[in-house]
């Protein structure tokens, strides 16, 4: 780190800019590429973080791009989960199926391989403490080419975020999607957790509207949710 003059240290604007630059250096953005057709995107994560809504938002983005999209859900444990995603799929006029094992997953992906540009998989919502976390049987049917994203909420405290990120490592996820940024202006917990777990971030969601409230993550956009640094 280069030397800083005494005069600069007395400048609030200079100090804030230096802190801002250090924060930006610690944010790693995932490079979203789409090398496979169909592109298979799997959303993982604990309960209550908004996985199903995020699946719908990603589907809406695909529809805007004219991409043929199908949704697969494995979340048959949570009451109403299948009905929720089925309703959303019908509204968007895209196919939807519910499966229970890796063989059915492989079969469904193979069936859709020539009919879809994108397949979105809404996984079972689990607590990181759940012993079933280690199974991952159904997810194995998605294949090695799938993009796996861990969905977390911006309102989760930092120590819990780090623990969740580490405990979901068993699924080999590629990056993080952070939801509910509209609920907080204190995302230092998220930035710190990503740095500590050495993880990147791919998408953020900023509200409940399916067709508008999701976007690819960027350093500047994240900084806009960090109170006191947006305009530095």
């Amino acid at each position: 780190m280069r030397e800083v003059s005494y005069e600069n240290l007395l400048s609030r604007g200079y100090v804030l800019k230096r802190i801002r630059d250090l924060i930006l250096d610690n944010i790693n953005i995932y490079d979203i590429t789409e090398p496979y057709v169909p592109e298979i995107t799997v959303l993982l994560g604990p309960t209550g973080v908004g996985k199903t809504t995020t699946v719908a938002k990603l589907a809406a983005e695909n529809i805007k791009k004219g991409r043929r999209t199908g949704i697969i859900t494995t979340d048959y444990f949570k009451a109403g989960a299948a009905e929720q995603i089925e309703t959303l799929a019908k509204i968007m006029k895209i196919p939807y199926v519910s499966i229970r094992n890796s063989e059915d997953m492989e079969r469904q992906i193979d069936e859709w391989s020539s009919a879809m540009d994108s397949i979105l998989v809404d996984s079972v919502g689990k607590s990181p403490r759940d012993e079933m976390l280690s199974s991952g049987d159904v997810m194995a049917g998605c294949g090695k080419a799938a993009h796996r994203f861990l969905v977390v909420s911006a309102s989760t405290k930092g120590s819990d975020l780090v623990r969740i990120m580490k405990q979901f490592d068993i699924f080999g996820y590629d990056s993080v999607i952070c939801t509910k940024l509209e609920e907080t202006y204190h995302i230092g917990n998220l930035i710190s957790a990503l740095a500590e777990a050495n993880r990147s971030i791919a998408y953020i969601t900023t509200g409940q509207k399916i067709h508008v409230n999701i976007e690819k993550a960027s350093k500047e956009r994240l900084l806009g949710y960090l109170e006191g640094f947006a305009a530095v």
Side-chain angles (χ1 to χ4, degrees):
M1 184 175 178
R2 67 183 180 85
E3 293 184 4
V4 179
S5 69
Y6 178 71
E7 289 77 14
N8 281 337
L9 286 174
L10 294 177
S11 168
R12 182 178 182 275
Y14 176 85
V15 172
L16 284 176
K17 186 179 184 305
R18 290 286 292 159
I19 295 172
R20 178 185 186 275
D21 291 343
L22 287 171
I23 293 170
L24 290 175
D25 287 343
N26 280 283
I27 300 173
N28 184 19
I29 303 299
Y30 182 67
D31 182 20
I32 301 170
T33 56
E34 301 171 357
Y36 303 101
V37 176
E39 180 192 34
I40 301 167
T41 302
V42 181
L43 268 58
L44 306 159
T47 56
V49 295
K51 286 193 305 298
T52 299
T53 303
T54 302
V55 165
K57 290 176 178 178
L58 289 171
E61 287 293 298
N62 283 338
I63 292 170
K64 288 179 187 176
K65 298 174 184 176
R67 305 183 72 201
R68 300 168 300 170
T69 300
I71 296 176
I72 298 173
T73 182
T74 67
D75 199 350
Y76 47 84
F77 289 107
K78 187 177 74 176
E83 291 81 1
Q84 181 187 4
I85 198 67
E86 182 177 13
T87 298
L88 291 168
K90 285 181 178 179
I91 291 171
M92 291 184 284
K93 298 179 180 180
I94 58 177
Y96 146 86
V97 294
S98 178
I99 61 94
R100 288 175 177 259
N101 56 59
S102 60
E103 291 78 14
D104 287 346
M105 178 72 78
E106 290 179 15
R107 190 179 302 111
Q108 189 60 53
I109 288 175
D110 183 64
E111 181 180 326
W112 278 355
S113 61
S114 60
M116 299 296 168
D117 301 307
S118 174
I119 298 172
L120 299 168
V121 181
D122 184 19
S123 70
V124 176
K126 299 176 181 177
S127 164
R129 299 187 181 191
D130 195 326
E131 291 181 1
M132 289 178 63
L133 186 64
S134 61
S135 66
D137 175 59
V138 180
M139 294 299 101
C142 295
K144 294 182 180 180
H147 296 288
R148 290 173 168 82
F149 294 112
L150 175 65
V151 183
V152 299
S153 168
S155 59
T156 305
K157 65 181 183 179
S159 59
D160 289 338
L161 283 172
V162 172
R163 185 164 58 252
I164 290 167
M165 290 178 194
K166 289 180 178 178
Q167 290 180 317
F168 274 86
D169 272 344
I170 195 166
F171 289 119
Y173 65 94
D174 300 294
S175 188
V176 170
I177 296 175
C178 186
T179 63
K180 306 181 182 181
L181 264 77
E182 77 282 1
E183 296 182 3
T184 180
Y185 273 87
H186 302 279
I187 64 162
N189 58 329
L190 171 66
I191 293 172
S192 296
L194 288 168
E196 184 172 341
N198 194 28
R199 286 292 182 176
S200 64
I201 183 167
Y203 293 95
I204 60 174
T205 74
T206 57
Q208 295 301 310
K209 294 180 180 178
I210 298 297
H211 291 85
V212 294
N213 291 140
I214 189 167
E215 59 191 86
K216 291 181 179 180
S218 72
K219 294 186 177 187
E220 294 292 338
R221 190 76 169 96
L222 285 170
L223 206 63
Y225 281 91
L226 191 60
E227 190 173 26
F229 287 93
V232 175

